[in-house]
Amino acid sequence: SFDSPLDIRLLEEAFLDVIKNQGMLRATLSRYDKRKLWNQHHTPDRINIPFIDLQHYSPTIKETLGQNIVNEIIIPDVQAAYTEENSVLYRPLLVKADKRNHILVIYFDHLIFDGMSGEIIERNLLTAYQSKEKNQNPEQPARILHTSSSIL
């Protein structure tokens, strides 16, 4: 989670940097002669991270909505991607919990992700974001963004 003002465009650019450097985030499965094969694609030119604003809801409703979105939309979408050809096996979602707190949820299929991968991706994403933020405002020192991660 990011507990300071967040520039969504910079976050999307930073996520693209991570995708560029992590081949499995560019990999898809396809069928060939009754087998599934991995295909690694080029980094997309742009990514749009879906965004939902829950800041005006009570904590109980935020938690319920968040769980419903993950369980009813994101997880089934990733599971469906496994049977589709040329679909990445992860889905990001940015949630605005309150005025200063954004939570980036990325649901990964276990074929491309394990617990250690989460730490690496989180660190790389933070580093890329802070670098882009600092370059945007070079006279200001990079802010430390406090993070926590949850693997669903």
Side-chain angles (χ1 to χ4, degrees):
S1 89
F2 298 88
D3 64 357
S4 58
L6 181 71
D7 185 323
I8 295 172
R9 182 186 56 81
L10 291 182
L11 178 63
E12 290 172 339
E13 289 176 11
F15 195 58
L16 276 175
D17 287 351
V18 173
I19 291 169
K20 180 180 179 181
N21 293 315
Q22 298 290 328
M24 290 306 291
L25 296 181
R26 292 179 278 113
T28 62
L29 286 172
S30 64
R31 294 184 197 282
Y32 177 76
D33 195 26
K34 297 183 183 181
R35 293 181 299 162
K36 291 198 175 210
L37 301 174
W38 286 105
N39 297 306
Q40 197 170 96
H41 301 275
H42 295 287
T43 305
D45 294 329
R46 180 161 168 69
I47 187 169
N48 293 311
I49 298 175
F51 175 79
I52 185 166
D53 186 347
L54 299 179
Q55 69 177 328
H56 301 294
Y57 295 96
S58 72
T60 303
I61 292 175
K62 285 180 191 180
E63 185 173 335
T64 301
L65 286 172
Q67 287 300 317
N68 287 342
I69 290 166
V70 169
N71 293 329
E72 303 297 326
I73 298 171
I74 295 176
I75 292 174
D77 190 37
V78 171
Q79 290 169 340
Y82 180 76
T83 60
E84 297 172 12
E85 288 198 27
N86 296 317
S87 183
V88 294
L89 298 175
Y90 63 90
R91 297 294 185 270
L93 173 67
L94 183 62
V95 178
K96 185 172 187 176
D98 57 46
K99 189 174 182 178
R100 295 183 46 88
N101 191 18
H102 289 78
I103 302 164
L104 179 61
V105 177
I106 307 173
Y107 182 83
F108 294 88
D109 187 287
H110 291 287
L111 287 172
I112 64 167
F113 189 82
D114 60 22
M116 184 126 181
S117 301
E119 294 173 18
I120 294 167
I121 289 172
E122 180 181 349
R123 183 176 57 243
N124 291 346
L125 182 59
L126 267 175
T127 299
Y129 181 84
Q130 288 174 333
S131 174
K132 290 181 180 303
E133 186 179 49
K134 186 174 181 180
N135 288 339
Q136 183 108 358
N137 301 304
E139 62 280 348
Q140 296 179 357
R143 287 193 313 256
I144 301 299
L145 300 177
H146 302 282
T147 66
S148 61
S149 60
S150 301
I151 308 303
L152 302 174

